PDB file of all heavy atoms in Angstrom:
ATOM      1  N   TYR Z  27     109.259 109.924  91.008  1.00  0.00           N
ATOM      2  CA  TYR Z  27     110.071 109.354  92.105  1.00  0.00           C
ATOM      3  C   TYR Z  27     109.985 107.840  92.120  1.00  0.00           C
ATOM      4  O   TYR Z  27     110.954 107.152  92.445  1.00  0.00           O
ATOM      5  CB  TYR Z  27     109.621 109.931  93.463  1.00  0.00           C
ATOM      6  CG  TYR Z  27     108.166 109.679  93.796  1.00  0.00           C
ATOM      7  CD1 TYR Z  27     107.773 108.625  94.615  1.00  0.00           C
ATOM      8  CD2 TYR Z  27     107.170 110.492  93.270  1.00  0.00           C
ATOM      9  CE1 TYR Z  27     106.431 108.385  94.889  1.00  0.00           C
ATOM     10  CE2 TYR Z  27     105.829 110.272  93.546  1.00  0.00           C
ATOM     11  CZ  TYR Z  27     105.466 109.210  94.351  1.00  0.00           C
ATOM     12  OH  TYR Z  27     104.141 108.980  94.617  1.00  0.00           O
ATOM     13  N   PHE Z  28     108.846 107.270  91.723  1.00  0.00           N
ATOM     14  CA  PHE Z  28     108.620 105.829  91.811  1.00  0.00           C
ATOM     15  C   PHE Z  28     109.317 105.065  90.694  1.00  0.00           C
ATOM     16  O   PHE Z  28     109.208 103.845  90.612  1.00  0.00           O
ATOM     17  CB  PHE Z  28     107.106 105.532  91.817  1.00  0.00           C
ATOM     18  CG  PHE Z  28     106.342 106.289  90.749  1.00  0.00           C
ATOM     19  CD1 PHE Z  28     106.112 105.712  89.504  1.00  0.00           C
ATOM     20  CD2 PHE Z  28     105.868 107.578  90.984  1.00  0.00           C
ATOM     21  CE1 PHE Z  28     105.408 106.402  88.514  1.00  0.00           C
ATOM     22  CE2 PHE Z  28     105.166 108.278  90.001  1.00  0.00           C
ATOM     23  CZ  PHE Z  28     104.937 107.693  88.772  1.00  0.00           C
ATOM     24  N   ARG Z  29     110.013 105.788  89.811  1.00  0.00           N
ATOM     25  CA  ARG Z  29     110.771 105.121  88.736  1.00  0.00           C
ATOM     26  C   ARG Z  29     112.277 105.311  88.913  1.00  0.00           C
ATOM     27  O   ARG Z  29     113.054 105.022  88.004  1.00  0.00           O
ATOM     28  CB  ARG Z  29     110.344 105.682  87.383  1.00  0.00           C
ATOM     29  CG  ARG Z  29     109.005 105.143  86.921  1.00  0.00           C
ATOM     30  CD  ARG Z  29     108.608 105.702  85.588  1.00  0.00           C
ATOM     31  NE  ARG Z  29     107.699 104.818  84.913  1.00  0.00           N
ATOM     32  CZ  ARG Z  29     106.569 105.212  84.319  1.00  0.00           C
ATOM     33  NH1 ARG Z  29     106.219 106.479  84.342  1.00  0.00           N
ATOM     34  NH2 ARG Z  29     105.806 104.339  83.717  1.00  0.00           N
ATOM     35  N   VAL Z  30     112.661 105.832  90.090  1.00  0.00           N
ATOM     36  CA  VAL Z  30     114.076 106.125  90.346  1.00  0.00           C
ATOM     37  C   VAL Z  30     114.427 105.575  91.733  1.00  0.00           C
ATOM     38  O   VAL Z  30     113.640 105.737  92.676  1.00  0.00           O
ATOM     39  CB  VAL Z  30     114.314 107.661  90.306  1.00  0.00           C
ATOM     40  CG1 VAL Z  30     115.757 107.997  90.613  1.00  0.00           C
ATOM     41  CG2 VAL Z  30     113.909 108.228  88.938  1.00  0.00           C
ATOM     42  N   HIS Z  31     115.580 104.917  91.853  1.00  0.00           N
ATOM     43  CA  HIS Z  31     115.985 104.411  93.165  1.00  0.00           C
ATOM     44  C   HIS Z  31     116.080 105.596  94.137  1.00  0.00           C
ATOM     45  O   HIS Z  31     116.686 106.625  93.804  1.00  0.00           O
ATOM     46  CB  HIS Z  31     117.338 103.700  93.043  1.00  0.00           C
ATOM     47  CG  HIS Z  31     117.706 102.941  94.272  1.00  0.00           C
ATOM     48  ND1 HIS Z  31     118.088 103.559  95.446  1.00  0.00           N
ATOM     49  CD2 HIS Z  31     117.703 101.620  94.528  1.00  0.00           C
ATOM     50  CE1 HIS Z  31     118.320 102.645  96.365  1.00  0.00           C
ATOM     51  NE2 HIS Z  31     118.095 101.453  95.840  1.00  0.00           N
ATOM     52  N   PRO Z  32     115.506 105.469  95.347  1.00  0.00           N
ATOM     53  CA  PRO Z  32     115.453 106.635  96.243  1.00  0.00           C
ATOM     54  C   PRO Z  32     116.829 107.203  96.619  1.00  0.00           C
ATOM     55  O   PRO Z  32     116.936 108.398  96.906  1.00  0.00           O
ATOM     56  CB  PRO Z  32     114.713 106.113  97.491  1.00  0.00           C
ATOM     57  CG  PRO Z  32     114.653 104.626  97.353  1.00  0.00           C
ATOM     58  CD  PRO Z  32     114.791 104.313  95.890  1.00  0.00           C
ATOM     59  N   ASP Z  33     117.869 106.372  96.573  1.00  0.00           N
ATOM     60  CA  ASP Z  33     119.214 106.907  96.877  1.00  0.00           C
ATOM     61  C   ASP Z  33     119.713 107.798  95.744  1.00  0.00           C
ATOM     62  O   ASP Z  33     120.754 108.441  95.886  1.00  0.00           O
ATOM     63  CB  ASP Z  33     120.216 105.766  97.081  1.00  0.00           C
ATOM     64  CG  ASP Z  33     119.919 104.967  98.337  1.00  0.00           C
ATOM     65  OD1 ASP Z  33     118.950 105.311  99.047  1.00  0.00           O
ATOM     66  OD2 ASP Z  33     120.640 103.985  98.599  1.00  0.00           O
TER      67      ASP Z  33
END
Side-chain angles (χ1 to χ4, degrees):
Y27 59 97
F28 47 93
R29 283 180 155 133
V30 178
H31 191 288
D33 292 359

